[in-house]
Amino acid sequence: MQCGREKKPIGEDVTRRLVFVPGHFEEHIYHQEKYACGYCKEGVATAPAPAQVIERSAATPSLLAHVVVSKYVDHTPLHRLHRIYDRCGAEIPVSTLSDWTAAVGELVEPLVERLAERVLNAYIVRTDATGLRVLDPTSPENILRGTMWALVGDDRDVVFRYTPTGEGSTGPWEFLAGRTGYIQADAANVFDRLFNGQAARAIELGCWSHGRRKMVALQDMDYRVAYPLKLIARLYRIEHLADARELTPEARAMLRQQRSQPVLEKLKRWLLATIKSETPSSDLAKAAAYSINHWDALTRFVKDGRVSLDNNLCEQQLRDIALGRKNYLFAGSHDAARRAANLYSLTRTCAQYGIPPLPYFTDVLSKLAAGWPQDRLDDP
């Protein structure tokens, strides 16, 4: 029952509903008045037009940024993006979208080169690679398999370099020539010249993900691998403990020496005993030999708290390329692949720093269009 008297406010209920507002295009039209002298008939003056990112193009920084992010972050092929834009009210040919992407890939090259300098000077450089099909009319099948090399400096800066092949004649040693610091990679022979003095005398850091991978492949066939896998898992649990405690690199190194070192000693004894008791051709002996052959590189993390157990972070950078090639299938040329490497470098670096790529590219392209000086590339 209500008494009928006037009610007074005592608070409020808040109800939220999420509404989707479809993307749309806006055409901005600028009018610049022209002035001329009616007597001498010479010299026409007019106000300057808005800065252009690409000469004789109506594309603004925000539109170019969206094209780049759609392809290299959202893995959307340009022919599919053309249909999306058409539904939104703008019919832009695929060839035009391709030209815009190429132009942006060229424009950002100075930024990528500055990023490359930072990677070269990093305390730890991680590297890995993945394949990319590229159209090449000079090849018998009109398509070649090039390689995208990823290089990560101190877990933040990411640079991709494209090489037309994956053979030993080209590779990361061209970029890392002369390096003497840490380089973390898998134990493929292709990286040897970085550590043996041919191209560099870097310090090799191993990857426990690769070390355990050979054991994991045997776990359904040989129960004996359960023991080394348990020990490797213990190494990772110690790392999780260090993360939970938010330890400094120095404190992490102390924890590793106290707890990880005894685990490694147990693991090494098992590996050596296995190699001695097994025939060299057995899968178990090969799996054990992999870790023993690279033992120094795999155990350097114990004394340096800034070193990771594996190279997984670098492998994660390659996922965007793997997803992209499932959608757009190939790069149109070797030059297109190099420009793609530039754009992937910036998108993945944005991801590592937690920066949204769309506003980043919009801002960068706006500044480049306005003539941002090369000596201020490090400015925010």
Side-chain angles (χ1 to χ4, degrees), residues 119-142:
V119 171
L120 280 173
N121 294 322
Y123 185 69
I124 299 173
V125 176
R126 304 167 184 257
T127 183
D128 206 345
T130 190
L132 181 69
R133 287 177 292 183
V134 180
L135 290 182
D136 187 345
T138 64
S139 66
E141 298 179 357
N142 290 324

PDB file of all heavy atoms in Angstrom, residues 119-142:
ATOM      1  N   VAL A 119      67.100  -1.785 -32.015  1.00  0.00           N
ATOM      2  CA  VAL A 119      67.232  -3.236 -31.864  1.00  0.00           C
ATOM      3  C   VAL A 119      68.706  -3.628 -31.832  1.00  0.00           C
ATOM      4  O   VAL A 119      69.133  -4.458 -31.018  1.00  0.00           O
ATOM      5  CB  VAL A 119      66.493  -3.962 -33.006  1.00  0.00           C
ATOM      6  CG1 VAL A 119      66.815  -5.459 -32.995  1.00  0.00           C
ATOM      7  CG2 VAL A 119      64.987  -3.765 -32.879  1.00  0.00           C
ATOM      8  N   LEU A 120      69.517  -3.037 -32.698  1.00  0.00           N
ATOM      9  CA  LEU A 120      70.941  -3.360 -32.742  1.00  0.00           C
ATOM     10  C   LEU A 120      71.637  -3.035 -31.425  1.00  0.00           C
ATOM     11  O   LEU A 120      72.594  -3.698 -31.039  1.00  0.00           O
ATOM     12  CB  LEU A 120      71.612  -2.589 -33.879  1.00  0.00           C
ATOM     13  CG  LEU A 120      71.440  -3.174 -35.282  1.00  0.00           C
ATOM     14  CD1 LEU A 120      72.021  -2.215 -36.317  1.00  0.00           C
ATOM     15  CD2 LEU A 120      72.104  -4.529 -35.398  1.00  0.00           C
ATOM     16  N   ASN A 121      71.158  -2.005 -30.752  1.00  0.00           N
ATOM     17  CA  ASN A 121      71.774  -1.581 -29.496  1.00  0.00           C
ATOM     18  C   ASN A 121      71.133  -2.226 -28.269  1.00  0.00           C
ATOM     19  O   ASN A 121      71.476  -1.878 -27.142  1.00  0.00           O
ATOM     20  CB  ASN A 121      71.707  -0.062 -29.363  1.00  0.00           C
ATOM     21  CG  ASN A 121      72.559   0.647 -30.399  1.00  0.00           C
ATOM     22  OD1 ASN A 121      73.643   0.190 -30.730  1.00  0.00           O
ATOM     23  ND2 ASN A 121      72.063   1.756 -30.933  1.00  0.00           N
ATOM     24  N   ALA A 122      70.210  -3.149 -28.481  1.00  0.00           N
ATOM     25  CA  ALA A 122      69.501  -3.777 -27.364  1.00  0.00           C
ATOM     26  C   ALA A 122      70.416  -4.703 -26.580  1.00  0.00           C
ATOM     27  O   ALA A 122      71.406  -5.234 -27.102  1.00  0.00           O
ATOM     28  CB  ALA A 122      68.291  -4.550 -27.883  1.00  0.00           C
ATOM     29  N   TYR A 123      70.079  -4.926 -25.331  1.00  0.00           N
ATOM     30  CA  TYR A 123      70.838  -5.837 -24.481  1.00  0.00           C
ATOM     31  C   TYR A 123      70.679  -7.278 -24.959  1.00  0.00           C
ATOM     32  O   TYR A 123      71.644  -8.049 -24.995  1.00  0.00           O
ATOM     33  CB  TYR A 123      70.349  -5.702 -23.037  1.00  0.00           C
ATOM     34  CG  TYR A 123      71.119  -6.507 -22.030  1.00  0.00           C
ATOM     35  CD1 TYR A 123      72.426  -6.183 -21.706  1.00  0.00           C
ATOM     36  CD2 TYR A 123      70.532  -7.594 -21.392  1.00  0.00           C
ATOM     37  CE1 TYR A 123      73.148  -6.914 -20.772  1.00  0.00           C
ATOM     38  CE2 TYR A 123      71.235  -8.338 -20.450  1.00  0.00           C
ATOM     39  CZ  TYR A 123      72.541  -7.991 -20.145  1.00  0.00           C
ATOM     40  OH  TYR A 123      73.249  -8.722 -19.223  1.00  0.00           O
ATOM     41  N   ILE A 124      69.449  -7.632 -25.330  1.00  0.00           N
ATOM     42  CA  ILE A 124      69.162  -8.970 -25.865  1.00  0.00           C
ATOM     43  C   ILE A 124      68.402  -8.813 -27.174  1.00  0.00           C
ATOM     44  O   ILE A 124      67.425  -8.057 -27.250  1.00  0.00           O
ATOM     45  CB  ILE A 124      68.313  -9.807 -24.887  1.00  0.00           C
ATOM     46  CG1 ILE A 124      69.046 -10.005 -23.563  1.00  0.00           C
ATOM     47  CG2 ILE A 124      67.955 -11.161 -25.504  1.00  0.00           C
ATOM     48  CD1 ILE A 124      68.198 -10.682 -22.496  1.00  0.00           C
ATOM     49  N   VAL A 125      68.844  -9.503 -28.197  1.00  0.00           N
ATOM     50  CA  VAL A 125      68.143  -9.536 -29.478  1.00  0.00           C
ATOM     51  C   VAL A 125      67.633 -10.953 -29.701  1.00  0.00           C
ATOM     52  O   VAL A 125      68.402 -11.923 -29.623  1.00  0.00           O
ATOM     53  CB  VAL A 125      69.051  -9.120 -30.646  1.00  0.00           C
ATOM     54  CG1 VAL A 125      68.311  -9.270 -31.976  1.00  0.00           C
ATOM     55  CG2 VAL A 125      69.526  -7.684 -30.473  1.00  0.00           C
ATOM     56  N   ARG A 126      66.354 -11.079 -29.958  1.00  0.00           N
ATOM     57  CA  ARG A 126      65.756 -12.380 -30.289  1.00  0.00           C
ATOM     58  C   ARG A 126      65.520 -12.421 -31.797  1.00  0.00           C
ATOM     59  O   ARG A 126      65.181 -11.397 -32.401  1.00  0.00           O
ATOM     60  CB  ARG A 126      64.425 -12.576 -29.579  1.00  0.00           C
ATOM     61  CG  ARG A 126      64.478 -12.428 -28.055  1.00  0.00           C
ATOM     62  CD  ARG A 126      63.048 -12.337 -27.532  1.00  0.00           C
ATOM     63  NE  ARG A 126      62.967 -12.106 -26.104  1.00  0.00           N
ATOM     64  CZ  ARG A 126      62.669 -13.035 -25.210  1.00  0.00           C
ATOM     65  NH1 ARG A 126      62.437 -14.270 -25.611  1.00  0.00           N
ATOM     66  NH2 ARG A 126      62.588 -12.745 -23.937  1.00  0.00           N
ATOM     67  N   THR A 127      65.665 -13.574 -32.393  1.00  0.00           N
ATOM     68  CA  THR A 127      65.426 -13.676 -33.829  1.00  0.00           C
ATOM     69  C   THR A 127      64.815 -15.018 -34.194  1.00  0.00           C
ATOM     70  O   THR A 127      65.071 -16.037 -33.546  1.00  0.00           O
ATOM     71  CB  THR A 127      66.738 -13.452 -34.623  1.00  0.00           C
ATOM     72  OG1 THR A 127      66.452 -13.479 -36.022  1.00  0.00           O
ATOM     73  CG2 THR A 127      67.782 -14.507 -34.295  1.00  0.00           C
ATOM     74  N   ASP A 128      63.976 -14.973 -35.219  1.00  0.00           N
ATOM     75  CA  ASP A 128      63.341 -16.171 -35.767  1.00  0.00           C
ATOM     76  C   ASP A 128      62.821 -15.798 -37.153  1.00  0.00           C
ATOM     77  O   ASP A 128      62.916 -14.639 -37.559  1.00  0.00           O
ATOM     78  CB  ASP A 128      62.215 -16.657 -34.862  1.00  0.00           C
ATOM     79  CG  ASP A 128      61.955 -18.158 -35.020  1.00  0.00           C
ATOM     80  OD1 ASP A 128      62.436 -18.728 -36.012  1.00  0.00           O
ATOM     81  OD2 ASP A 128      61.277 -18.755 -34.161  1.00  0.00           O
ATOM     82  N   ALA A 129      62.273 -16.750 -37.869  1.00  0.00           N
ATOM     83  CA  ALA A 129      61.861 -16.479 -39.243  1.00  0.00           C
ATOM     84  C   ALA A 129      60.652 -17.311 -39.619  1.00  0.00           C
ATOM     85  O   ALA A 129      60.349 -18.332 -39.000  1.00  0.00           O
ATOM     86  CB  ALA A 129      63.011 -16.760 -40.208  1.00  0.00           C
ATOM     87  N   THR A 130      59.960 -16.845 -40.669  1.00  0.00           N
ATOM     88  CA  THR A 130      58.862 -17.601 -41.251  1.00  0.00           C
ATOM     89  C   THR A 130      58.828 -17.318 -42.740  1.00  0.00           C
ATOM     90  O   THR A 130      59.334 -16.298 -43.213  1.00  0.00           O
ATOM     91  CB  THR A 130      57.509 -17.229 -40.603  1.00  0.00           C
ATOM     92  OG1 THR A 130      56.497 -18.140 -41.040  1.00  0.00           O
ATOM     93  CG2 THR A 130      57.085 -15.817 -40.972  1.00  0.00           C
ATOM     94  N   GLY A 131      58.231 -18.223 -43.495  1.00  0.00           N
ATOM     95  CA  GLY A 131      58.207 -18.084 -44.948  1.00  0.00           C
ATOM     96  C   GLY A 131      57.078 -17.193 -45.437  1.00  0.00           C
ATOM     97  O   GLY A 131      56.066 -16.989 -44.756  1.00  0.00           O
ATOM     98  N   LEU A 132      57.251 -16.665 -46.643  1.00  0.00           N
ATOM     99  CA  LEU A 132      56.228 -15.836 -47.284  1.00  0.00           C
ATOM    100  C   LEU A 132      56.326 -16.042 -48.791  1.00  0.00           C
ATOM    101  O   LEU A 132      57.394 -15.847 -49.386  1.00  0.00           O
ATOM    102  CB  LEU A 132      56.427 -14.364 -46.939  1.00  0.00           C
ATOM    103  CG  LEU A 132      55.400 -13.399 -47.548  1.00  0.00           C
ATOM    104  CD1 LEU A 132      54.032 -13.609 -46.895  1.00  0.00           C
ATOM    105  CD2 LEU A 132      55.848 -11.951 -47.381  1.00  0.00           C
ATOM    106  N   ARG A 133      55.216 -16.435 -49.402  1.00  0.00           N
ATOM    107  CA  ARG A 133      55.206 -16.604 -50.853  1.00  0.00           C
ATOM    108  C   ARG A 133      55.135 -15.248 -51.545  1.00  0.00           C
ATOM    109  O   ARG A 133      54.375 -14.365 -51.138  1.00  0.00           O
ATOM    110  CB  ARG A 133      54.031 -17.483 -51.268  1.00  0.00           C
ATOM    111  CG  ARG A 133      54.217 -18.942 -50.915  1.00  0.00           C
ATOM    112  CD  ARG A 133      53.004 -19.767 -51.267  1.00  0.00           C
ATOM    113  NE  ARG A 133      51.867 -19.409 -50.420  1.00  0.00           N
ATOM    114  CZ  ARG A 133      50.682 -20.010 -50.469  1.00  0.00           C
ATOM    115  NH1 ARG A 133      50.478 -20.996 -51.326  1.00  0.00           N
ATOM    116  NH2 ARG A 133      49.714 -19.645 -49.661  1.00  0.00           N
ATOM    117  N   VAL A 134      55.923 -15.114 -52.608  1.00  0.00           N
ATOM    118  CA  VAL A 134      56.040 -13.839 -53.313  1.00  0.00           C
ATOM    119  C   VAL A 134      55.970 -14.096 -54.818  1.00  0.00           C
ATOM    120  O   VAL A 134      56.631 -14.997 -55.344  1.00  0.00           O
ATOM    121  CB  VAL A 134      57.377 -13.142 -52.973  1.00  0.00           C
ATOM    122  CG1 VAL A 134      57.495 -11.823 -53.717  1.00  0.00           C
ATOM    123  CG2 VAL A 134      57.487 -12.918 -51.472  1.00  0.00           C
ATOM    124  N   LEU A 135      55.158 -13.297 -55.513  1.00  0.00           N
ATOM    125  CA  LEU A 135      55.086 -13.412 -56.968  1.00  0.00           C
ATOM    126  C   LEU A 135      56.400 -12.958 -57.589  1.00  0.00           C
ATOM    127  O   LEU A 135      56.935 -11.897 -57.248  1.00  0.00           O
ATOM    128  CB  LEU A 135      53.937 -12.552 -57.505  1.00  0.00           C
ATOM    129  CG  LEU A 135      52.508 -13.013 -57.201  1.00  0.00           C
ATOM    130  CD1 LEU A 135      51.514 -12.073 -57.855  1.00  0.00           C
ATOM    131  CD2 LEU A 135      52.272 -14.439 -57.672  1.00  0.00           C
ATOM    132  N   ASP A 136      56.905 -13.760 -58.514  1.00  0.00           N
ATOM    133  CA  ASP A 136      58.156 -13.448 -59.192  1.00  0.00           C
ATOM    134  C   ASP A 136      58.078 -13.992 -60.617  1.00  0.00           C
ATOM    135  O   ASP A 136      58.226 -15.193 -60.841  1.00  0.00           O
ATOM    136  CB  ASP A 136      59.344 -14.066 -58.450  1.00  0.00           C
ATOM    137  CG  ASP A 136      60.681 -13.632 -59.027  1.00  0.00           C
ATOM    138  OD1 ASP A 136      60.688 -13.098 -60.154  1.00  0.00           O
ATOM    139  OD2 ASP A 136      61.706 -13.814 -58.353  1.00  0.00           O
ATOM    140  N   PRO A 137      57.845 -13.122 -61.602  1.00  0.00           N
ATOM    141  CA  PRO A 137      57.699 -13.584 -62.992  1.00  0.00           C
ATOM    142  C   PRO A 137      58.951 -14.267 -63.538  1.00  0.00           C
ATOM    143  O   PRO A 137      58.876 -14.999 -64.532  1.00  0.00           O
ATOM    144  CB  PRO A 137      57.403 -12.290 -63.764  1.00  0.00           C
ATOM    145  CG  PRO A 137      56.925 -11.314 -62.733  1.00  0.00           C
ATOM    146  CD  PRO A 137      57.638 -11.673 -61.470  1.00  0.00           C
ATOM    147  N   THR A 138      60.117 -14.037 -62.927  1.00  0.00           N
ATOM    148  CA  THR A 138      61.347 -14.637 -63.433  1.00  0.00           C
ATOM    149  C   THR A 138      61.517 -16.090 -62.997  1.00  0.00           C
ATOM    150  O   THR A 138      62.392 -16.782 -63.521  1.00  0.00           O
ATOM    151  CB  THR A 138      62.566 -13.830 -62.947  1.00  0.00           C
ATOM    152  OG1 THR A 138      62.656 -13.904 -61.514  1.00  0.00           O
ATOM    153  CG2 THR A 138      62.443 -12.369 -63.365  1.00  0.00           C
ATOM    154  N   SER A 139      60.726 -16.553 -62.052  1.00  0.00           N
ATOM    155  CA  SER A 139      60.855 -17.933 -61.579  1.00  0.00           C
ATOM    156  C   SER A 139      60.004 -18.864 -62.444  1.00  0.00           C
ATOM    157  O   SER A 139      58.999 -18.438 -63.035  1.00  0.00           O
ATOM    158  CB  SER A 139      60.410 -18.041 -60.116  1.00  0.00           C
ATOM    159  OG  SER A 139      59.035 -17.786 -59.998  1.00  0.00           O
ATOM    160  N   PRO A 140      60.371 -20.136 -62.521  1.00  0.00           N
ATOM    161  CA  PRO A 140      59.620 -21.075 -63.386  1.00  0.00           C
ATOM    162  C   PRO A 140      58.150 -21.178 -63.014  1.00  0.00           C
ATOM    163  O   PRO A 140      57.301 -21.331 -63.893  1.00  0.00           O
ATOM    164  CB  PRO A 140      60.348 -22.406 -63.171  1.00  0.00           C
ATOM    165  CG  PRO A 140      61.727 -22.026 -62.723  1.00  0.00           C
ATOM    166  CD  PRO A 140      61.557 -20.769 -61.924  1.00  0.00           C
ATOM    167  N   GLU A 141      57.827 -21.103 -61.739  1.00  0.00           N
ATOM    168  CA  GLU A 141      56.449 -21.253 -61.294  1.00  0.00           C
ATOM    169  C   GLU A 141      55.788 -19.908 -61.006  1.00  0.00           C
ATOM    170  O   GLU A 141      54.669 -19.859 -60.482  1.00  0.00           O
ATOM    171  CB  GLU A 141      56.397 -22.138 -60.045  1.00  0.00           C
ATOM    172  CG  GLU A 141      56.910 -23.560 -60.294  1.00  0.00           C
ATOM    173  CD  GLU A 141      56.859 -24.406 -59.041  1.00  0.00           C
ATOM    174  OE1 GLU A 141      56.490 -23.861 -57.980  1.00  0.00           O
ATOM    175  OE2 GLU A 141      57.184 -25.607 -59.122  1.00  0.00           O
ATOM    176  N   ASN A 142      56.476 -18.815 -61.318  1.00  0.00           N
ATOM    177  CA  ASN A 142      55.973 -17.450 -61.105  1.00  0.00           C
ATOM    178  C   ASN A 142      55.765 -17.091 -59.642  1.00  0.00           C
ATOM    179  O   ASN A 142      55.131 -16.088 -59.336  1.00  0.00           O
ATOM    180  CB  ASN A 142      54.655 -17.213 -61.870  1.00  0.00           C
ATOM    181  CG  ASN A 142      54.878 -17.161 -63.367  1.00  0.00           C
ATOM    182  OD1 ASN A 142      55.892 -16.651 -63.835  1.00  0.00           O
ATOM    183  ND2 ASN A 142      53.941 -17.706 -64.121  1.00  0.00           N
TER     184      ASN A 142
END
